[in-house]
């Protein structure tokens, strides 16, 4: 068994655990760091510029965090390209250089990471639910990590009558309303999943028709991705209040997923009765709050830029500097929006440093 195959096998076993100790996390993080340091040339150059070596990186928090926009600047991969690999791309302009790319030689680790986490945090022990998906499918968007995520949700956790309601022809409101009515009549809970902007369009359509629903107990809604200029923007309080009112789903069951193309693991909250909600992840991902230029952790109680160390990111880089502002809270972190001002400039400088190091 080669090094990559051995790593994948051990990662799958690690994700299948019910939890881990700090030492277990560190051991696997350092093993992945060594693999990526040896196999991923741009990452190795960046580490060397930062003075990080196989000898002096002692814990996961010592691993240099690669700024998220580096995925747009170059290929970050440990395995060579292959015909079977999947490439997830960030949203953005059509120019290839403007879109981040995340290369997956295979999807076994990504898929198990998604399914284990989704089953616990969104399904909450329920085996299957009828699902309405408010996002294009993988045929329409083959390079979308969210399209793949939702396809997995449907195949692994949806009932046979689960289906997509956002098609190349547009939003199928009659079909969606029929499914919601059927759930009301049967008393069987229903799950609605999709991009936040899609849910805004659905809510606008329901208001225009003067309609609302009272979905049965156990129904739940998942939103993700924000608005990204594809619908009118709503303050979070209005968004979740309207979701609850129009679908009859308690805000404790209106769950937000925080994820990104550059990661292989997602974060969830436990509903949005209180805002901002506390986000947390499974045992195979850990986070820090840092000052973006130096990479140093901020003082307790201070806001910082989120860094995530995702062990499921075995082919690219485990540790990523986002552009998201966070604050520690009991049980996880608060997501406070995008970096602005000095923090945004710091993130930009971090990208410049990475590119210089990788091309030197």
């Amino acid at each position: 068994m080669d090094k990559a195959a051995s790593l994948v096998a051990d990662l799958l076993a690690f994700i299948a655990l019910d939890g881990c100790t700090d030492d277990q996390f560190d051991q696997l993080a350092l093993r992945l760091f060594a693999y990526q340091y040896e196999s991923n040339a741009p990452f190795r150059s960046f580490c060397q510029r930062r003075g990080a070596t196989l000898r002096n990186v002692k814990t996961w928090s010592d691993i240099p965090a690669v700024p998220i926009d580096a995925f747009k600047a170059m290929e970050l991969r440990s395995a060579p390209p292959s015909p079977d690999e999947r490439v997830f791309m960030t949203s953005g302009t059509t120019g290839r250089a403007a879109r981040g790319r995340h290369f997956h030689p295979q999807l076994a680790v990504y898929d198990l990471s998604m399914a284990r986490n989704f089953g616990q945090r969104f399904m909450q022990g329920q085996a299957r639910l009828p699902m309405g998906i408010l996002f294009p499918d993988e045929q329409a968007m083959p390079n979308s990590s969210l399209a793949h995520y939702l396809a997995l949700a449907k195949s692994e956790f949806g009932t046979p009558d689960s289906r997509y309601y956002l098609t190349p022809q547009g939003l199928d409101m009659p079909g969606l309303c029929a499914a919601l009515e059927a759930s009301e009549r049967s008393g069987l809970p229903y799950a609605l999943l999709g991009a936040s902007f899609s849910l805004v369009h659905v809510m606008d359509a329901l208001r225009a028709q003067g309609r609302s629903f009272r979905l049965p107990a156990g129904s739940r809604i998942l939103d993700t991705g924000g608005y990204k200029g594809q619908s009118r923007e709503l303050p979070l309080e209005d968004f979740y209040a309207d979701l609850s009112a129009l679908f009859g789903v308690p805000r404790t069951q209106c769950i937000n997923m925080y994820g990104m193309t550059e990661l292989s693991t997602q974060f969830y909250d436990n509903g949005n009765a209180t805002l901002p909600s506390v986000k947390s992840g499974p045992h195979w991902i850990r986070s820090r709050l840092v000052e973006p230029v130096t990479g140093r952790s901020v003082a307790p109680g201070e806001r910082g830029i989120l860094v995530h160390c995702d062990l499921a990111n075995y082919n690219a880089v485990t540790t990523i500097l986002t552009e998201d502002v966070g604050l520690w809270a009991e049980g996880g972190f608060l997501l406070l929006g995008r970096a602005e001002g000095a923090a945004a400039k710091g993130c930009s400088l971090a990208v410049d440093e990475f590119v210089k190091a990788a091309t030197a």
Side-chain angles (χ1 to χ4, degrees):
M1 185 182 293
D2 65 24
K3 190 175 291 187
S6 176
L7 265 176
V8 167
D10 290 345
L11 267 172
L12 293 172
F14 188 84
I15 291 170
L17 297 173
D18 291 329
C20 71
T21 64
D22 291 347
D23 186 57
Q24 286 173 318
F25 187 92
D26 269 335
Q27 284 185 33
L28 190 49
L30 294 178
R31 196 171 147 207
L32 283 162
F33 171 68
Y35 171 66
Q36 292 169 354
Y37 187 94
E38 292 167 0
S39 307
N40 186 333
F43 177 60
R44 181 171 61 251
S45 298
F46 176 63
C47 290
Q48 290 169 342
R49 187 179 178 98
R50 284 281 175 111
T53 67
L54 299 181
R55 183 169 295 180
N56 62 22
V57 169
K58 305 289 189 183
T59 178
W60 72 268
S61 57
D62 294 335
I63 299 172
V66 173
I68 200 166
D69 271 359
F71 283 77
K72 298 178 182 178
M74 61 195 63
E75 294 191 357
L76 294 172
R77 60 160 82 240
S78 297
S82 69
D84 298 327
E85 72 181 2
R86 284 291 294 272
V87 184
F88 293 148
M89 300 175 71
T90 59
S91 57
T93 61
T94 54
R96 181 171 177 176
R99 300 182 67 184
R101 291 163 293 153
H102 190 172
F103 303 94
H104 296 266
Q106 57 168 293
L107 285 172
V109 174
Y110 183 101
D111 289 358
L112 185 63
S113 172
M114 180 276 171
R116 286 276 292 167
N117 202 14
F118 184 89
Q120 293 169 0
R121 300 300 299 274
F122 184 74
M123 297 301 291
Q124 300 164 18
Q126 186 90 12
R128 290 188 178 270
L129 284 169
M131 291 181 176
I133 310 295
L134 299 172
F135 198 75
D137 63 20
E138 287 192 280
Q139 285 67 46
M141 297 185 71
N143 297 118
S144 167
S145 59
L146 181 55
H148 181 69
Y149 167 97
L150 291 169
L152 273 175
K154 179 177 176 290
S155 64
E156 296 297 314
F157 299 98
T159 54
D161 55 344
S162 299
R163 54 163 289 207
Y164 290 85
Y165 293 97
L166 192 62
T167 70
Q169 289 71 45
L171 180 61
D172 179 8
M173 278 302 295
L176 177 60
C177 288
L180 298 174
E181 288 170 354
S183 176
E184 283 184 320
R185 285 195 306 270
S186 69
L188 298 175
Y190 192 81
L192 197 58
L193 299 84
S196 311
F197 68 82
S198 299
L199 285 160
V200 172
H201 288 308
V202 170
M203 291 192 289
D204 286 345
L206 289 177
R207 278 197 205 85
Q209 298 173 21
R211 302 193 69 173
S212 64
F213 296 90
R214 301 295 303 173
L215 293 176
S219 297
R220 62 208 68 181
I221 300 174
L222 181 138
D223 81 284
T224 187
Y227 307 106
K228 293 182 180 175
Q230 300 189 62
S231 70
R232 65 188 181 90
E233 295 200 16
L234 278 177
L236 282 181
E237 179 61 39
D238 294 347
F239 177 77
Y240 289 110
D242 291 352
L243 270 185
S244 184
L246 287 169
F247 296 101
V249 174
R251 284 176 59 163
T252 54
Q253 294 300 308
C254 295
I255 295 165
N256 176 261
M257 183 273 278
Y258 163 57
M260 55 191 69
T261 302
E262 299 86 355
L263 292 176
S264 301
T265 300
Q266 299 80 36
F267 297 88
Y268 298 89
D269 53 39
N270 294 322
N272 281 273
T274 302
L275 294 171
S277 60
V278 177
K279 300 288 193 291
S280 58
H283 66 266
W284 58 91
I285 191 168
R286 297 201 174 183
S287 303
R288 299 168 58 213
L289 291 175
V290 306
E291 194 283 323
V293 174
T294 64
R296 296 191 187 97
S297 295
V298 300
E302 289 188 6
R303 299 179 177 201
I305 303 299
L306 280 158
V307 164
H308 303 304
C309 179
D310 181 4
L311 302 189
N313 255 22
Y314 74 94
N315 186 53
V317 291
T318 59
T319 307
I320 291 173
L321 173 71
T322 72
E323 296 176 349
D324 298 320
V325 179
L327 180 68
W328 293 126
E330 185 176 355
F333 59 85
L334 304 178
L335 191 61
L336 302 179
R338 302 288 279 181
E340 295 180 356
K345 185 177 180 181
C347 292
S348 179
L349 290 171
V351 176
D352 290 344
E353 182 195 4
F354 182 90
V355 172
K356 287 177 184 175
T359 56

